């Protein structure tokens, strides 16, 4: 996977384009799309290796990377990988909503 390779070997250049958290969000948003879940998980693992705990991060609205799986109809494998790396599916954002709560409503 070229993104994983560039993140490992051209870290400064890649983080000049996007922050590590933004790379993770972009990849989660693309899951099951053009890049495929397997490649997104490779990028996730690379980012976790380079920036331990990045899966626990939140954006300006308090959303975890799991939220972006909802937007892209992300796969269960990616969700499981994020949770394995410490992403909390019950963490509340600024609107007091959690990923699990929104996923439950989406599935109704």
């Amino acid at each position: 996977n070229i993104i994983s390779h560039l993140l490992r070997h051209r870290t400064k250049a890649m983080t000049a384009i996007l922050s590590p958290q933004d790379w993770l969000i972009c990849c989660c948003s693309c899951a099951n799309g053009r890049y495929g879940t397997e490649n997104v998980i490779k990028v996730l693992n690379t980012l976790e290796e380079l920036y331990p705990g990045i899966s626990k991060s939140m954006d300006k609205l308090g959303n975890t990377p799991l939220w972006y799986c909802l937007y892209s109809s992300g796969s269960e494998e990616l969700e499981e990988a994020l949770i394995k790396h410490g992403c909390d599916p019950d963490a509340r954002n600024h609107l007091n909503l959690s990923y699990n709560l929104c996923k439950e409503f989406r599935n109704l």
Side-chain angles (χ1 to χ4, degrees), residues 78-98:
L78 178 57
E79 294 169 7
E80 290 171 10
L82 284 163
I83 292 167
K84 179 184 130 201
H85 284 297
C87 191
D88 182 1
D90 293 312
R92 300 290 180 132
N93 68 8
H94 296 324
L95 297 175
N96 202 30
L97 297 171
S98 72

Side-chain angles (χ1 to χ4, degrees), residues 2-21:
I2 193 164
I3 295 174
S4 291
H5 175 81
L6 290 172
L7 283 167
R8 286 183 197 281
H9 300 286
R10 300 285 189 256
T11 305
K12 285 185 181 181
M14 294 296 280
T15 56
I17 297 167
L18 290 174
S19 72
Q21 181 186 22

